Amino acid sequence: MLTCPFSVATQQAVREALTHADLGVRPLHEPVPKALLNTSVQPLFTALVRMRDDAGHPELKAAISKALNAFSDRDVFRMATQVAQQLAPRVLTAEQLTRFNYALPIGVLAEMLGVADQQRTALVDDVLDFVRCIAPGGSEQQMARGAIAAGRLQEWMRVADGPLFAQLCQLIGDRSVAIANAIGLFFQACEGTAGLLGQTLLLMQERDVVAEDAISTVLQETPPIYNTRRFAQRDIELDGQPLVIGQAVLIALKTAEESFAFGYGNHRCPGAGWAQAIALGGIRHLLTLNIEPEVVAHFRWRVSQNVHVPEFFTAEE
Ligand code: HEM
């Protein structure tokens, strides 16, 4: 495999890369990561809208976008407020805040998809394990844990009965593809929204801004998902440079001229409205708890090749 790194980071080159007909989301010779072959994740992975460039992508993308758009920002904000109150009825430690940031988008989606209440804690752990096995750079052990988590997520989705799941099933038509992409929503929403929540809290410590402005500033200045990848499907030219078949391209989602916080082109995020409504509901709720500045004083970045999520911790005195 050719792994020579090639990266683009100017507005024009990023737009070119994200709309290039011969740059795909997966390498041609490895449509599914090797470690996931012959596991329960393989059929799920191949059905995900994020991992497909075939002729079926536009229709699937349209169905998922329509299902998400069936709920207004107001509906999502209300649900986020309700889930935030349940997750954090009172003031949080730094570690609980970190968990809250991951659990909130997962909890909102779980409510809308109709995953049973008693499975919520395990659901957050399973989604985080699943993310680790799908995101670039996963170890063999993470792949194995992710495969087990994916099996459980599929079982829970089989009996889900919420309004978002009903929309997905109806609009996609094929129930197993709907289940895979419902699980895909957890995967897509989890780290990005956790990063948006955590970074917004940090920004609000530094600047005297209201939550909406802080959220927009983070998306403009330090997008939580800060890069993505594409793979040359044949020999091409990109940004005036030759690229050979199989070569990977690292695409910066923040350039000097423009932030591509929610991507660009065919794979642009269909959940941008949801992400901002969830973040706003979460931040507004946290503000009612009067979190002390010490809670967000210490953090490390989540170990990841493409997201910036601050993970808060209590420093030893
Ligand atoms: C702040 C939070 C979020 C950020 C920063 C974010 C960002 C992104 C980005 C950059 C992409 C494009 C990836 C690429 O082109 O390689 C993407 C795709 C996607 N996002 Fe989001 N996202 C967030 C939240 C969400 C939420 C809440 C949902 C669903 C409710 C969602 C659903 C999706 C889906 C399904 C895709 C794949 C679309 C496709 O491949 O056609 N995202 N997201």
Side-chain angles (χ1 to χ4, degrees):
M1 185 173 103
L2 288 156
T3 51
C4 181
F6 185 93
S7 51
V8 289
T10 62
Q11 180 187 43
Q12 199 190 332
V14 168
R15 287 186 179 182
E16 187 188 350
L18 290 175
T19 51
H20 202 297
D22 295 312
L23 284 175
V25 287
R26 292 292 311 159
L28 260 190
H29 64 278
E30 200 184 337
V32 178
K34 279 197 196 78
L36 299 181
L37 289 174
N38 306 316
T39 69
S40 60
V41 190
Q42 181 175 350
L44 198 160
F45 190 95
T46 51
L48 291 176
V49 71
R50 169 68 184 79
M51 303 302 168
R52 292 174 58 171
D53 285 310
D54 58 344
H57 177 268
E59 206 183 321
L60 179 58
K61 176 73 173 275
I64 292 171
S65 305
K66 197 166 175 198
L68 289 169
N69 289 336
F71 305 91
S72 68
D73 290 351
R74 188 89 211 134
D75 297 334
V76 179
F77 171 78
R78 268 201 220 108
M79 182 58 78
T81 306
Q82 185 188 313
V83 174
Q85 283 161 352
Q86 286 159 4
L87 286 172
R90 62 193 73 83
V91 90
L92 302 171
T93 63
E95 286 73 14
Q96 288 168 338
L97 178 60
T98 299
R99 176 79 177 184
F100 172 90
N101 290 344
Y102 289 117
L104 183 63
I106 297 173
V108 171
L109 280 167
E111 283 292 333
M112 304 295 253
L113 289 166
V115 177
D117 257 1
Q118 67 272 22
Q119 287 146 353
R120 292 303 159 76
T121 309
L123 181 71
V124 176
D125 293 331
D126 280 341
V127 171
L128 287 171
D129 281 347
F130 180 63
V131 167
R132 279 288 186 221
C133 105
I134 297 268
S139 68
E140 248 177 57
Q141 201 189 9
Q142 286 169 333
M143 295 284 188
R145 283 178 64 141
I148 296 169
R152 263 196 305 264
L153 289 169
Q154 274 166 307
E155 274 165 36
W156 290 337
M157 282 315 305
R158 274 192 202 107
V159 290
D161 58 1
L164 175 59
F165 188 53
Q167 287 284 332
L168 287 170
C169 287
Q170 191 198 329
L171 291 161
I172 293 174
D174 179 321
R175 194 173 165 89
S176 60
V177 177
I179 289 177
N181 280 284
I183 295 171
L185 292 182
F186 284 122
F187 156 67
Q188 295 292 155
C190 173
E191 287 179 314
T193 315
L196 184 55
L197 280 159
Q199 290 199 43
T200 301
L201 290 169
L202 288 173
L203 189 93
M204 291 180 82
Q205 290 296 310
E206 271 173 32
R207 303 184 204 169
D208 189 18
V209 275
V210 295
E212 288 91 329
D213 292 348
I215 290 170
S216 310
T217 305
V218 169
L219 292 169
Q220 279 311 308
E221 294 181 3
T222 51
I225 300 184
Y226 62 92
N227 69 41
T228 188
R229 275 154 229 270
R230 293 292 187 267
F231 302 87
Q233 311 291 298
R234 57 192 187 90
D235 293 352
I236 56 165
E237 231 184 54
L238 177 68
D239 198 21
Q241 305 286 322
L243 225 67
V244 293
I245 182 166
Q247 202 167 347
V249 184
L250 186 66
I251 304 165
L253 294 178
K254 169 72 185 136
T255 69
E257 307 89 345
E258 187 175 351
S259 170
F260 296 90
F262 292 108
Y264 187 76
N266 287 350
H267 286 275
R268 192 179 195 284
C269 180
W274 277 61
Q276 289 166 90
I278 295 171
L280 187 61
I283 298 288
R284 288 247 182 98
H285 173 67
L286 292 173
L287 291 175
T288 67
L289 300 180
N290 293 321
I291 289 180
E292 295 294 328
E294 295 85 73
V295 175
V296 291
H298 303 280
F299 69 90
R300 13 183 125 76
W301 294 109
R302 177 169 171 83
V303 178
S304 165
Q305 295 185 6
N306 62 335
V307 288
H308 270 148
V309 187
E311 298 191 331
F312 304 102
F313 64 93
T314 312
E316 298 293 326
E317 287 305 317

